[in-house]
Amino acid sequence: MVETKFVTPQTSDPRNGSNIWEPELLNESYKDNGQRSLWVDYCANSTIHGFKYLVGDKRTAIERIWWIIVCLLSLFGCGNLIYSVYRKWDREPVVVTFAEKPAPVFTIPFPAVTICPETKVRKKDLDFTKAYQFYNDPQGWQFMAREQVAKLEALLQVCDFSFGIEMNDDSYSDNVVEYLQKLAIPFEDIFLMCSWREHVIDCKNFFKQTITDAGICYTFNSLAADDLLRREQLHTAYEYMAENESSKMWNMDDGYSSGAGGDTYPRRAFGAGRRAGLVVILKVQKYDMDFLCGNSFQGFKVHLHSPVEYPRMLNQFFRIPLSQEVSVSVEPLLLDTAPNIRRYRPQRRLCYYNHERHLRYFKVYSKCNCDIECLSNYTLKTCGCVPFPLPHTNEARVCGLGKASCADEALSVLEEMDLIHELNKTDNFLEHCNCLQACNALIYNTEISQAIFDWRKLSESTHIAANVTNETELSYLSIHFKVSRFIPIKRSELFGISDFLANCGGVLGLFMGVSILSIVEIVYYCTLKPIMARTKASARPETAQAIKPALIFPPKEFGPTVGARLRNSTNKW
């Protein structure tokens, strides 16, 4: 007989003292040791790297401090890089690059051309040199007629030399334009022949009178006065521009409309070269030349500008000498702005659309027009008057020779005001003008070449100079596009919202492993999780007191309850 010994089943492992019925968990932070706090629950289940190491019963203090430092450093690195990305997105959201495709020249207007003769008056109306010398005679000036003095003072305001500033102390000269128009060389004594796109045209229909700081000039292809100027704000003493042809099929922001034909206004060329451009033959009578007012130069000043800009001969011009052929190759520079830039504020994109910046005297915004208006306001504030070529109201007076030095000083100070403001930190009047670049603008770069124009030899075989005498000097001007296609410059978005979010997501993913769902988790644990916990707690019924479990032992007659019980058994084998 073999005795079989039965032992009481053990509920614990004697080797390690653990309960054999309790499952081993891979991560002790997941052990349920009762109701956990919201922070512990979030860290234990968060998808953000490193947070799960901040909690757990078996984490030592050194481990937790280590991971707290690592997480804080990662958060600092994320915040620093995201802030730098935000500053770049906020300060430089726009980049200027070349466009992907070239544009044909017929999509933009031909440049406006302003021509000013150096000879301001005919000798039979006023001999400027003799009148100036007679006026400087201490005894002879008293015998000059008042009309002659008024004409001389008017011409002194448009001569290249400023030698007439100290001639008198008259502060105002409201009728200076009236005298300049009376003394101006007649149109037919300036223009001999004009040609546009290889078709001979009437110069009077294409060139219209314009008042500039060089006196009476003539402009081709500019906007009409009603389209460019706010006449209701300007004085009524004289007209700045005589152009009256309206531009109904074109504007600076949208370009030519789809219905614009070949003869639309402003005029446009359909290709490159002289055959598609403008040709003008100008003339001057020798007996009308005056070398004192023109600084010994005889000929013409020419300024190319956008049709939406009022011409200023003081800034940019080139000269056309007598008996010279001047060929001007124009390379356009179009500044275009992408449509998605419109949602940015002007101070961020650093440009204005036409509807965003209101000018008092101009209907069309451009930086040149804004600068002219700024100069007019500053001169009026400084000198109490405005030079005649600048726009002003009926209440403002026109500066005379006595205020010429003040007006020149105001112009110099305004041009140097940025530098003065940086050095002395004084009030910057230019900031009040707020003349940013136009979002859509046209600039015409020029390449000039010239040669001798022997028109007398040419007149022997052609009738082009049939009515020209030996007392006449001619000049030849040709203006045309250099290329038939050009590459515009495009102002586009450097950092959009999607780019900013992508940069932030990359930084957060690199340092913390954060994704959109990680942010959703934070929102969930901050809002929905606490609300649901409170809802469950308030809806749970009151439970009875738990009964402590007790072990039930068998009756005493069945033997001892502890230890092993022996049983006799017979093995028949």
Side-chain angles (χ1 to χ4, degrees), residues 26-323:
L26 297 177
N27 191 346
E28 66 275 7
S29 64
Y30 283 85
K31 291 181 181 180
D32 190 4
N33 295 326
Q35 187 176 4
R36 295 183 295 185
S37 66
L38 192 65
W39 166 251
V40 175
D41 191 23
Y42 169 72
C43 290
N45 297 282
S46 175
T47 58
I48 299 179
H49 297 171
F51 276 30
K52 65 180 179 180
Y53 299 109
L54 303 179
V55 296
D57 294 338
K58 294 187 177 181
R59 299 286 180 212
T60 63
I62 296 178
E63 288 181 300
R64 294 186 181 184
I65 293 174
W66 165 263
W67 283 109
I68 288 174
I69 294 174
V70 170
C71 291
L72 290 178
L73 290 176
S74 297
L75 287 174
F76 175 76
C78 287
N80 193 18
L81 290 179
I82 289 176
Y83 178 68
S84 64
V85 171
Y86 172 77
R87 288 186 61 186
K88 188 173 184 179
W89 176 63
D90 183 63
R91 295 186 178 184
E92 302 173 359
V94 177
V95 62
V96 179
T97 58
F98 287 102
E100 296 83 6
K101 297 180 180 180
V105 293
F106 59 77
T107 58
I108 60 173
F110 196 79
V113 182
T114 300
I115 301 176
C116 302
E118 288 289 354
T119 303
K120 310 296 183 183
V121 61
R122 292 185 296 186
K123 282 288 182 66
K124 66 178 183 179
D125 295 329
L126 179 68
D127 191 333
F128 178 82
T129 301
K130 288 183 178 180
Y132 177 74
Q133 293 173 349
F134 195 68
Y135 188 86
N136 280 337
D137 189 353
Q139 298 178 356
W141 68 272
Q142 301 178 2
F143 301 99
M144 293 183 64
R146 181 175 300 179
E147 183 77 7
Q148 190 178 17
V149 173
K151 292 178 180 180
L152 179 63
E153 292 176 352
L155 286 175
L156 284 172
Q157 294 204 41
V158 296
C159 291
D160 284 349
F161 278 155
S162 57
F163 46 74
I165 293 178
E166 293 82 10
M167 286 187 60
N168 65 14
D169 296 328
D170 290 342
S171 300
Y172 308 107
S173 180
D174 296 322
N175 56 355
V176 59
V177 176
E178 179 182 355
Y179 281 108
L180 290 177
Q181 290 175 335
K182 288 180 179 179
L183 298 173
I185 303 294
F187 185 90
E188 56 274 8
D189 288 346
I190 298 175
F191 293 87
L192 179 63
M193 190 273 293
C194 298
S195 173
W196 169 243
R197 294 192 319 212
E198 277 203 318
H199 295 285
V200 178
I201 57 175
D202 186 0
C203 297
K204 268 194 173 181
N205 295 334
F206 281 68
F207 284 88
K208 300 301 175 65
Q209 188 181 104
T210 305
I211 305 297
T212 70
D213 43 19
I216 306 301
C217 303
Y218 300 91
T219 303
F220 164 84
N221 209 37
S222 176
L223 289 187
D226 292 334
D227 296 337
L228 183 60
L229 302 174
R230 299 185 189 274
R231 290 191 171 185
E232 67 276 5
Q233 298 291 335
L234 295 171
H235 62 89
T236 56
Y238 54 87
E239 295 289 341
Y240 287 92
M241 302 173 64
E243 183 61 65
N244 55 7
E245 190 166 355
S246 180
S247 56
K248 299 179 180 179
M249 296 290 185
W250 178 85
N251 62 71
M252 193 66 251
D253 288 339
D254 301 326
Y256 286 100
S257 62
S258 57
D263 295 329
T264 187
Y265 194 85
R267 301 173 181 90
R268 51 181 175 172
F270 294 101
R274 185 176 299 185
R275 297 166 58 90
L278 175 71
V279 175
V280 181
I281 299 180
L282 305 168
K283 63 179 179 178
V284 175
Q285 303 298 335
K286 289 182 180 180
Y287 47 78
D288 288 333
M289 294 180 185
D290 189 276
F291 294 92
L292 182 61
C293 182
N295 191 15
S296 75
F297 174 82
Q298 297 300 317
F300 302 88
K301 290 181 180 179
V302 180
H303 176 39
L304 302 187
H305 54 94
S306 173
V308 300
E309 294 179 355
Y310 191 82
R312 288 200 68 199
M313 304 303 297
L314 186 64
N315 290 342
Q316 297 177 354
F317 65 88
F318 58 91
R319 297 181 184 271
I320 305 178
L322 299 179
S323 300

